[in-house]
Amino acid sequence: MFDLIVKGGTLPDGRVADIGIKGDRIAAVEPRLEAEAGEVIDAAGDLVSPPFVDPHFHMDATLSYGLPRVNASGTLLEGIGLWGELKEIMTLEGLKERALAYCDWAASMGLLHIRSHVDTCDDRLLGVQAMLEVREAVKPYIDLQLVAFPQDGVFRDPTAWDNTVRALDMGVDVVGGIPHFERTMAEGARSVTALCELAAERGLPVDLHCDETDDPMSRHVETLAMEAQRLGLQGRAVGSHLTSMHSMDNYYVSKLLPLMAEAGLAAIPNPLINIVLQGRHDSFPKRRGMTRVKELRAMGIPVAFGQDCVLDPWYSLGTADMLDVAFMGLHVAQMTHPEEMRACFSMVTEESAKVIGLEGYGLAPGCAASLVVLDAADPVDALRLRPARLAVVAKGKVVARSPRADAALSLLGRPGSVRRRRPVPGRA
């Protein structure tokens, strides 16, 4: 007897299977389960995936677009300045209300794991307090990791170091930083060393906003690789953004990538935001603004796609749909071979889960009973359609349902409805 069976779904690897759930765990994954269940979800012909994972987000800023004004230039620096203005007027309740509303969006889209950076350049640590309370509130359905992020520079801001340590003492999970925003390259490199040492002392991961600039001489990821190896942080050190790599010469990159691989670094590009914020000083040709995804993966460096922003000082769009992120990522990275597109789907599911160190993630017996049923045939179809989430299961509970997005037609001699799924293969 199962509490829930998801019947006949197609898994990302192409297997067709029934998934039996007891409590908050997957109990069985078999071609056919002959057992009773409290509830059955018919997923025949549909894609059943582990939940989506966002490895890089800013939940303390989300849904604040227009407060107190919009980002007129569309640049990263104006966004940082605007965030500073917003911090002066934000309240604990406002922060929590926006974050919880976003988590509603995320649950509806099957996004059940989020790593969110939270600003520590505020002596009140209002955002930290709010996000810790949100983390507890959404625990039954969303796993929220928090990164202590000194937005204005851990050395550039006079109280940022102490506030970052305070945030970690309050229960924040990951050490963050922004070395390229320090006053000098030397100060940026010093911040990488100090933050990595802090992470090593506390046994925590480190995830730095690293080289989020068009400047090819911004090379703090090199220091991050060295410190990760020196301090034994292999497998728990991440460079997020890494956009300067799109401007570096190929010879230097040919040296850098092996260093990153040797140090066990992972990379988190953020396709939607990177291509909007970067290249703003270019006329034409205009740089893409995203790091070298294919080259990183070819070197064996784990890569996960992040969403970064939704309706905030840096980005005026967004829907909490990680398939939008992967869809943009595959276009900008030119990853259009079927296997590359499947890799892009993995970069917002399995690969992303590995990068942020999730345990018990996946579609196997013993894993957490969290999954999403999509109105798509397979991962490539899901990327093409960004389809309805027919059902979202979080820790054994169905938390969201959506209808199929079929359209009714009134066309002479044609079907009465249309579904934009891939046609049956093999028909000339």
Side-chain angles (χ1 to χ4, degrees), residues 176-193:
I178 185 169
H180 56 277
F181 199 62
E182 303 291 350
R183 287 189 177 87
T184 66
M185 290 289 186
E187 283 287 273
R190 189 166 74 90
S191 78
V192 174
T193 296

Side-chain angles (χ1 to χ4, degrees), residues 242-320:
L242 302 178
T243 59
S244 69
M245 202 181 295
H246 71 204
S247 301
M248 293 173 179
D249 67 83
N250 289 335
Y251 179 82
Y252 176 71
V253 173
S254 73
K255 168 196 171 186
L256 176 62
L257 294 182
L259 291 177
M260 293 175 65
E262 184 180 321
L265 289 191
I268 303 178
N270 300 280
L272 294 169
I273 314 307
N274 292 158
I275 67 169
V276 165
L277 295 180
Q278 305 309 132
R280 289 280 179 165
H281 294 285
D282 295 350
S283 54
F284 290 94
K286 187 178 285 286
R287 284 167 286 186
R288 290 176 180 270
M290 194 167 78
T291 196
R292 303 187 184 208
V293 175
K294 292 174 76 168
E295 290 86 346
L296 287 161
R297 296 189 75 255
M299 189 58 61
I301 297 166
V303 180
F305 283 147
Q307 186 152 226
D308 200 7
C309 305
V310 169
L311 288 170
D312 69 8
W314 296 273
Y315 190 60
S316 56
L317 301 169
T319 62

Side-chain angles (χ1 to χ4, degrees), residues 125 176 360:
L125 291 183

